[in-house]
Coordinates of all heavy atoms in Angstrom, one line a residue:
A1 N 4.7 29.9 -9.1 CA 4.3 30.2 -7.7 C 4.5 28.9 -6.8 O 3.7 28.0 -6.9 CB 2.8 30.6 -7.7
S2 N 5.5 28.9 -6.0 CA 5.8 27.8 -5.2 C 4.5 27.4 -4.4 O 4.2 26.2 -4.2 CB 6.9 28.1 -4.2 OG 8.1 28.3 -4.9
S3 N 3.9 28.4 -3.9 CA 2.6 28.1 -3.0 C 1.5 27.7 -3.8 O 0.4 27.1 -3.3 CB 2.3 29.3 -2.2 OG 1.8 30.4 -3.1
G4 N 1.5 28.0 -5.2 CA 0.4 27.6 -6.1 C -0.9 28.6 -5.9 O -1.9 28.3 -6.4
R5 N -0.7 29.7 -5.1 CA -1.8 30.5 -4.8 C -1.5 32.0 -4.9 O -2.3 32.8 -4.6 CB -2.3 30.2 -3.3 CG -1.2 30.5 -2.3 CD -1.7 30.7 -0.9 NE -2.5 32.0 -0.9 CZ -1.9 33.2 -0.8 NH1 -0.6 33.4 -0.8 NH2 -2.6 34.3 -0.8
T6 N -0.4 32.4 -5.5 CA 0.0 33.8 -5.6 C -1.0 34.6 -6.5 O -1.2 34.2 -7.6 CB 1.4 34.0 -6.2 OG1 2.3 33.2 -5.3 CG2 1.8 35.5 -6.1
P7 N -1.7 35.5 -5.9 CA -2.7 36.3 -6.6 C -2.3 36.9 -8.0 O -3.0 36.8 -9.1 CB -3.2 37.4 -5.8 CG -3.0 36.8 -4.4 CD -1.8 36.0 -4.5
Y8 N -1.1 37.4 -8.0 CA -0.5 38.0 -9.2 C -0.4 37.0 -10.3 O -0.7 37.2 -11.5 CB 0.9 38.6 -8.9 CG 1.6 39.2 -10.0 CD1 1.3 40.4 -10.5 CD2 2.7 38.5 -10.7 CE1 2.0 41.1 -11.6 CE2 3.4 39.1 -11.8 CZ 3.0 40.4 -12.2 OH 3.7 41.0 -13.3
V9 N 0.0 35.8 -9.9 CA 0.2 34.6 -10.9 C -1.2 34.1 -11.3 O -1.4 33.8 -12.5 CB 1.1 33.5 -10.3 CG1 1.2 32.4 -11.2 CG2 2.5 34.1 -10.0
L10 N -2.1 34.0 -10.3 CA -3.4 33.5 -10.7 C -4.1 34.4 -11.7 O -4.7 33.9 -12.7 CB -4.3 33.4 -9.4 CG -3.9 32.3 -8.4 CD1 -4.6 32.5 -7.1 CD2 -4.0 30.9 -9.0
G11 N -3.9 35.7 -11.5 CA -4.6 36.7 -12.4 C -4.0 36.6 -13.8 O -4.7 36.7 -14.8
G12 N -2.6 36.4 -13.9 CA -2.0 36.3 -15.2 C -2.3 35.2 -15.9 O -2.6 35.2 -17.1
L13 N -2.5 34.0 -15.3 CA -2.9 32.8 -15.9 C -4.3 32.9 -16.4 O -4.7 32.4 -17.6 CB -2.7 31.6 -15.0 CG -1.3 31.1 -14.7 CD1 -1.3 30.2 -13.6 CD2 -0.7 30.5 -15.9
E14 N -5.2 33.4 -15.6 CA -6.6 33.6 -16.0 C -6.7 34.5 -17.3 O -7.5 34.2 -18.2 CB -7.4 34.2 -14.8 CG -8.9 34.4 -15.2 CD -9.6 35.1 -14.1 OE1 -9.0 35.9 -13.3 OE2 -10.8 34.9 -14.0
Y15 N -6.0 35.6 -17.3 CA -6.1 36.5 -18.4 C -5.5 35.9 -19.6 O -6.2 35.9 -20.7 CB -5.3 37.8 -18.1 CG -5.2 38.7 -19.3 CD1 -6.3 39.2 -19.9 CD2 -3.9 39.2 -19.7 CE1 -6.3 40.1 -21.0 CE2 -3.8 40.1 -20.7 CZ -5.0 40.5 -21.4 OH -4.9 41.3 -22.4
A16 N -4.4 35.3 -19.6 CA -3.7 34.7 -20.8 C -4.5 33.6 -21.3 O -4.8 33.5 -22.5 CB -2.3 34.2 -20.3
R17 N -5.1 32.7 -20.5 CA -6.0 31.6 -20.9 C -7.2 32.2 -21.6 O -7.7 31.6 -22.6 CB -6.3 30.7 -19.7 CG -7.2 29.5 -20.1 CD -6.2 28.3 -20.5 NE -6.9 27.1 -21.0 CZ -7.5 26.3 -20.1 NH1 -7.6 26.5 -18.9 NH2 -8.1 25.2 -20.7
S18 N -7.8 33.3 -21.1 CA -9.1 33.8 -21.6 C -8.9 34.3 -23.0 O -9.9 34.4 -23.8 CB -9.6 34.9 -20.7 OG -8.7 36.1 -20.8
I19 N -7.6 34.7 -23.4 CA -7.5 35.2 -24.8 C -6.8 34.2 -25.7 O -6.4 34.5 -26.8 CB -6.6 36.5 -24.8 CG1 -5.2 36.3 -24.3 CG2 -7.3 37.6 -24.0 CD1 -4.3 37.5 -24.4
G20 N -6.7 32.9 -25.2 CA -6.2 31.9 -26.1 C -4.8 31.5 -26.1 O -4.3 30.8 -27.0
C21 N -4.0 32.1 -25.1 CA -2.6 31.8 -25.0 C -2.4 30.4 -24.4 O -3.2 30.0 -23.5 CB -1.9 32.8 -24.2 SG -1.8 34.5 -24.9
T22 N -1.4 29.7 -24.7 CA -1.0 28.5 -24.0 C -0.4 28.8 -22.7 O 0.4 29.7 -22.6 CB 0.0 27.7 -24.9 OG1 -0.6 27.3 -26.1 CG2 0.4 26.3 -24.1
T23 N -0.8 28.2 -21.6 CA -0.4 28.5 -20.3 C 0.2 27.3 -19.6 O -0.3 26.1 -19.7 CB -1.6 29.0 -19.4 OG1 -2.7 28.0 -19.5 CG2 -2.1 30.3 -20.0
V24 N 1.3 27.6 -18.8 CA 1.9 26.6 -18.0 C 2.0 27.0 -16.5 O 2.3 28.2 -16.3 CB 3.3 26.3 -18.5 CG1 4.0 25.3 -17.6 CG2 3.3 25.9 -19.9
G25 N 1.7 26.3 -15.6 CA 1.8 26.6 -14.1 C 3.0 25.7 -13.6 O 3.1 24.6 -13.8
V26 N 3.8 26.3 -12.8 CA 4.9 25.7 -12.0 C 4.7 25.9 -10.5 O 4.8 27.0 -10.1 CB 6.3 26.2 -12.5 CG1 7.3 25.4 -11.7 CG2 6.5 25.9 -14.0
V27 N 4.3 24.9 -9.8 CA 4.1 25.0 -8.4 C 4.8 23.9 -7.6 O 5.4 22.9 -8.2 CB 2.6 24.9 -8.1 CG1 1.8 25.9 -8.9 CG2 2.1 23.5 -8.4
C28 N 4.8 24.0 -6.3 CA 5.5 23.0 -5.5 C 4.7 22.4 -4.4 O 5.1 22.1 -3.3 CB 6.8 23.7 -4.8 SG 8.1 24.1 -6.0
V29 N 3.3 22.5 -4.6 CA 2.4 22.0 -3.7 C 1.3 21.2 -4.5 O 1.2 21.4 -5.7 CB 1.7 23.1 -2.8 CG1 2.7 23.8 -1.9 CG2 1.0 24.1 -3.7
Q30 N 0.6 20.4 -3.8 CA -0.5 19.7 -4.4 C -1.5 19.2 -3.3 O -1.1 18.6 -2.3 CB 0.0 18.4 -5.1 CG -1.0 17.8 -6.1 CD -0.3 16.8 -6.9 OE1 0.6 16.0 -6.5 NE2 -0.6 16.6 -8.2
P31 N -2.8 19.6 -3.4 CA -3.4 20.4 -4.5 C -3.0 21.9 -4.4 O -2.4 22.4 -3.4 CB -4.9 20.2 -4.3 CG -5.0 20.0 -2.8 CD -3.7 19.3 -2.4
S32 N -3.4 22.7 -5.4 CA -3.1 24.1 -5.5 C -4.2 24.9 -6.0 O -5.1 24.4 -6.7 CB -1.8 24.3 -6.4 OG -2.1 24.0 -7.7
A33 N -4.1 26.2 -5.7 CA -5.2 27.1 -6.3 C -5.1 27.2 -7.8 O -6.2 27.3 -8.5 CB -5.1 28.5 -5.6
I34 N -3.9 27.1 -8.3 CA -3.8 27.1 -9.8 C -4.5 26.0 -10.4 O -5.1 26.0 -11.4 CB -2.3 27.1 -10.2 CG1 -1.6 28.5 -9.8 CG2 -2.1 26.8 -11.6 CD1 -0.2 28.6 -10.1
A35 N -4.3 24.8 -9.8 CA -5.0 23.6 -10.3 C -6.5 23.7 -10.2 O -7.3 23.4 -11.1 CB -4.6 22.4 -9.5

């Protein structure tokens, strides 16, 4: 998510992390909602 705040991506990261998957975020802003 270039903006670091795309809801679709935020939801996917939250779900994957909650079940123990390794997660990586790729953004082009700082700070970001993903962070």
Side-chain angles (χ1 to χ4, degrees):
S2 294
S3 67
R5 56 157 297 280
T6 307
Y8 180 78
V9 175
L10 293 172
L13 288 168
E14 179 184 28
Y15 173 56
R17 184 87 183 284
S18 72
I19 62 174
C21 294
T22 299
T23 54
V24 180
V26 178
V27 303
C28 294
V29 295
Q30 198 172 35
S32 66
I34 288 179

